[in-house]
């Protein structure tokens, strides 16, 4: 007797397991080198915060001039953000990221030669020009590998790099400033820029050698794995077109892009006023000594990194972005209010810094999962760059305005108080402005 056995359909759970293993393989291959490059990108942006006190005396730097030097980086960054991202999309990630890292490493190290506040401002502007397009380039590069439903976790891991850089920057910069001051006739801050700038050049070479431009060029993937990755991304693109997205921008897309740019400006104004003035806040709270200030600065970065991972995973698990973003911004506003009220007490200021950093880090991780869900895929290269470019206004204005208010009030912590309102406005705009149903799909 012949027994008929029907063909068994693939079990969804098995397919999900296979996909999870595939994306884990991609993560383990790509993210470590991107993570390392992000560490040096953040380190070379913010190490000026630890050098501020020393440069103030050596260069005759006022608080407003320091704020301008810290913020003008983002002016140069904005000018070349879109061209750099379009270059990456056309010529590939390997060439673009190599060029960016090599140039910014050289310019960051050359900051050791500045002699006046004006030269410092100019060098920071040039540094912004050289680094333009790096972070939006990384974001765009991730869209070549991960569909929207799996991308937030990859972005969050990359966003852990600033946390790692913050943990590294405090003790390292503090040690250099405290122990190498006067060595070979150079100030400690000169050694700091030299030692922390050169490694970016070597990492750029590593990217050029190691990084594939996309799944099609990844020799470490099997042919079936490569096909599955490309099919998942193609399906997502087709779904976007089928759900009413267009290859160009209509008025609604421009409004959405403007909203995201405003939200990012609010986030970055808080992120970088916190980053650039963190050592000063800790010093005003009663901590003295470069190494001690550096060690205390590690605490907020560790807390922020943990919270960011938890929030981004929870957001991915529930497929929800807007309330996670808004709630994170609300927490950041509470932290900023604590700093403003308890600026002279480490017991109040340090928890406030932790809340501020945690809220902003979580909001930033969730934020970058929003544009691909609300904008047509074909417009993402220009849209991501435009959002990041306009959002950079907040990164520029935050540190500069804090410097101006610091000169008037005498306290950087009190100068932060008005930014509480800005963070709350961003939370409200995120909830109201992204009410339409997200295009994010459940994992395949």
């Amino acid at each position: 007797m012949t027994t008929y056995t029907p063909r068994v359909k693939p079990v969804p759970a098995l397919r999900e397991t296979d996909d999870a293993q595939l994306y884990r393989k991609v993560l383990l291959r790509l993210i470590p080198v991107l993570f390392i490059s992000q560490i040096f990108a953040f380190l070379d942006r913010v190490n000026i915060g630890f050098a501020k006190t020393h440069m103030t005396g050596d260069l005759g730097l006022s608080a407003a001039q320091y704020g301008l030097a810290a913020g003008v980086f983002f002016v140069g960054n904005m000018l070349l953000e879109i061209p750099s991202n379009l270059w990456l999309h056309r010529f590939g990630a390997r060439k673009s990221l190599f060029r960016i890292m090599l140039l910014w490493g050289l310019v960051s190290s050359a900051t050791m030669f500045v002699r006046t506040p004006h030269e410092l401002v100019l060098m920071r502007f040039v540094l912004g020009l050289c680094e333009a397009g790096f972070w939006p380039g990384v974001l765009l590069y991730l869209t070549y590998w991960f569909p929207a439903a799996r991308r937030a976790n990859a972005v969050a891991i990359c966003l852990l790099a600033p946390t790692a850089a913050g943990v590294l920057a405090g003790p390292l910069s503090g040690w250099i400033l405290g122990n190498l001051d006067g060595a070979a006739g150079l100030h400690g801050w000169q050694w700091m820029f030299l030692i922390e700038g050169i490694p970016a050049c070597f990492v750029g070479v590593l990217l050029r050698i190691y990084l594939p431009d996309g799944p099609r060029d990844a020799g470490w993937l099997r042919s079936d794995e490569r096909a599955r990755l490309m099919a998942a991304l193609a399906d997502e693109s087709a779904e976007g077109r089928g759900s009413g997205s267009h290859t160009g921008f209509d008025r609604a897309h421009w409004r959405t892009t403007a909203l995201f740019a405003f939200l990012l400006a609010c986030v970055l104004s808080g992120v970088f006023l916190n980053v650039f003035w963190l050592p000063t806040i800790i010093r005003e709270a009663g901590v003295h000594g470069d190494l001690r200030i550096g060690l205390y600065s590690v605490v907020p970065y560790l807390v922020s990194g943990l919270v960011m991972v938890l929030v981004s995973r929870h957001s991915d698990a529930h497929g929800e972005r807007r309330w996670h973003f808004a709630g994170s911004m609300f927490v950041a506003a509470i932290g900023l209010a604590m700093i403003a009220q308890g600026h002279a007490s480490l017991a109040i200021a340090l928890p406030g810094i932790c809340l501020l950093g945690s809220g902003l880090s979580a909001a930033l991780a969730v934020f970058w999962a929003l544009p691909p869900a609300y904008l047509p895929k074909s417009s993402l290269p220009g849209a991501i760059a435009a959002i990041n470019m306009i959002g950079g206004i907040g990164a520029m204005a935050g540190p500069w305005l804090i410097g101006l208010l610091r000169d008037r009030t005498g306290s950087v912590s009190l100068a932060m108080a008005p930014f509480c309102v800005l963070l709350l406005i961003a939370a409200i705009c995120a909830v109201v402005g992204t009410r339409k149903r997200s295009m994010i799909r459940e994992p395949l």
Side-chain angles (χ1 to χ4, degrees), residues 177-262:
L177 291 168
N179 290 273
L180 295 184
D181 191 34
L186 298 175
H187 297 294
W189 58 267
Q190 293 177 299
W191 280 113
M192 185 197 71
F193 284 119
L194 176 63
I195 293 173
E196 295 178 0
I198 290 297
C201 301
F202 294 101
V203 178
V205 174
L206 177 64
L207 289 178
R208 181 69 174 86
I209 298 172
Y210 185 80
L211 208 64
D213 286 325
R216 193 184 304 274
D217 306 309
W220 41 271
L221 287 174
R222 300 194 309 267
S223 58
D224 63 307
E225 293 174 330
R226 191 179 301 112
R228 283 162 56 198
L229 281 177
M230 296 174 67
L233 295 169
D235 288 346
E236 182 178 65
S237 180
E239 180 178 290
R241 290 192 297 270
S243 62
S245 295
H246 307 289
T247 56
F249 264 12
D250 58 21
R251 183 175 300 177
H253 291 140
W254 280 114
R255 286 199 300 265
T256 303
T257 301
L259 170 65
F260 289 143
F262 170 74

Side-chain angles (χ1 to χ4, degrees), residues 43 46-59 66 111-112 168-183 186-196 276 279-280 283 288-295 297:
L43 181 63
V46 307
N47 54 9
I48 189 176
F50 294 95
K52 173 186 174 293
T53 301
H54 297 266
M55 298 180 79
T56 296
D58 295 335
L59 304 182
Y66 165 73
T111 306
M112 67 181 291
L168 174 66
L172 176 61
S173 299
W175 184 88
I176 294 173
L177 291 168
N179 290 273
L180 295 184
D181 191 34
L186 298 175
H187 297 294
W189 58 267
Q190 293 177 299
W191 280 113
M192 185 197 71
F193 284 119
L194 176 63
I195 293 173
E196 295 178 0
F276 287 127
T280 303
R283 184 178 291 106
H288 301 288
D290 292 313
L291 185 57
R292 289 190 66 204
I293 291 171
L295 292 174
S297 71

Side-chain angles (χ1 to χ4, degrees), residues 30-349:
L30 299 181
I31 297 303
V33 67
L34 294 176
F35 187 88
I36 294 171
S37 63
Q38 281 290 104
I39 287 178
F40 287 106
F42 189 81
L43 181 63
D44 290 337
R45 284 187 186 191
V46 307
N47 54 9
I48 189 176
F50 294 95
K52 173 186 174 293
T53 301
H54 297 266
M55 298 180 79
T56 296
D58 295 335
L59 304 182
L61 198 65
S62 69
Q65 288 172 328
Y66 165 73
L68 178 60
V72 78
F73 166 92
F74 298 98
V75 177
N77 209 259
M78 287 186 291
L79 289 176
L80 294 184
E81 199 88 298
I82 292 179
S84 181
N85 225 35
L86 295 177
W87 174 282
L88 183 147
H89 185 64
R90 181 175 180 182
F91 297 105
R94 295 167 63 239
K95 294 179 180 178
S96 294
L97 297 181
F98 165 68
R99 167 185 55 82
I100 292 171
M101 293 201 70
L102 178 65
L103 291 177
W104 107 51
L106 293 174
V107 172
S108 181
S109 296
T111 306
M112 67 181 291
F113 297 113
V114 301
R115 293 292 182 269
T116 67
H118 297 295
E119 290 179 1
L120 178 63
V121 171
L122 177 61
M123 192 63 73
R124 292 285 298 181
F125 174 74
V126 175
L127 181 65
L129 289 175
C130 293
E131 198 189 311
F134 181 75
W135 174 237
V138 170
L139 291 174
L140 178 61
Y141 183 65
L142 292 177
T143 68
Y144 299 161
W145 296 88
F146 300 95
R150 297 182 182 273
R151 197 176 301 135
N153 188 46
V155 172
I157 295 174
C158 287
L159 286 173
L160 278 175
T163 300
V167 172
L168 174 66
L172 176 61
S173 299
W175 184 88
I176 294 173
L177 291 168
N179 290 273
L180 295 184
D181 191 34
L186 298 175
H187 297 294
W189 58 267
Q190 293 177 299
W191 280 113
M192 185 197 71
F193 284 119
L194 176 63
I195 293 173
E196 295 178 0
I198 290 297
C201 301
F202 294 101
V203 178
V205 174
L206 177 64
L207 289 178
R208 181 69 174 86
I209 298 172
Y210 185 80
L211 208 64
D213 286 325
R216 193 184 304 274
D217 306 309
W220 41 271
L221 287 174
R222 300 194 309 267
S223 58
D224 63 307
E225 293 174 330
R226 191 179 301 112
R228 283 162 56 198
L229 281 177
M230 296 174 67
L233 295 169
D235 288 346
E236 182 178 65
S237 180
E239 180 178 290
R241 290 192 297 270
S243 62
S245 295
H246 307 289
T247 56
F249 264 12
D250 58 21
R251 183 175 300 177
H253 291 140
W254 280 114
R255 286 199 300 265
T256 303
T257 301
L259 170 65
F260 289 143
F262 170 74
L263 295 180
L264 183 61
C266 294
V267 176
L268 293 182
S269 69
V271 167
F272 286 103
L273 73 83
N274 184 37
V275 165
F276 287 127
W277 292 93
L278 173 61
T280 303
I281 297 171
I282 295 175
R283 184 178 291 106
E284 285 192 349
V287 180
H288 301 288
D290 292 313
L291 185 57
R292 289 190 66 204
I293 291 171
L295 292 174
Y296 270 103
S297 71
V298 169
V299 177
Y301 284 107
L302 290 176
V303 175
S304 299
L306 176 61
V307 171
M308 182 179 67
V309 170
L310 294 176
V311 171
S312 62
R313 286 185 176 179
H314 191 270
S315 176
D316 269 356
H318 291 80
E320 201 287 321
R321 313 298 188 197
R322 54 200 289 260
W323 287 106
H324 283 79
F325 177 87
S328 298
M329 293 295 282
F330 182 74
V331 170
I334 294 175
L336 200 53
M338 290 177 62
I339 297 172
Q341 293 299 316
H343 60 94
S345 169
L346 186 64
I348 299 176

